[in-house]
Amino acid sequence: VDFTDGAGKTVLMVSVERENLYLTEYLINIGCNASAKDIYGKTALDYALELDNEALISILNQGQ
């Protein structure tokens, strides 16, 4: 689940970008690396903060 694309984005990051709460929570629960950074130095939490999505931020903070 920690595979990355050409930009270094993980499945978790893409899930956050698409604002998929269920998949994001599932990935956190199975131990996805929430602290992974893409080529821009951003984590999944950084993307959630950019979206100002409180639900995603909460899920990601619980996984830290």
Side-chain angles (χ1 to χ4, degrees), residues 18-63:
R18 295 183 181 176
E19 298 187 74
N20 188 326
L21 297 174
Y22 300 107
L23 181 57
T24 300
E25 186 169 32
Y26 173 76
L27 291 168
I28 290 295
N29 287 337
I30 63 168
C32 215
N33 182 3
S35 62
K37 294 183 179 183
D38 63 14
I39 62 171
Y40 307 105
K42 294 182 180 181
T43 65
L45 180 58
D46 292 326
Y47 286 105
L49 289 167
E50 285 179 4
L51 293 167
D52 196 29
N53 187 317
E54 293 297 325
L56 286 171
I57 293 166
S58 177
I59 291 168
L60 292 165
N61 280 330
Q62 291 174 5

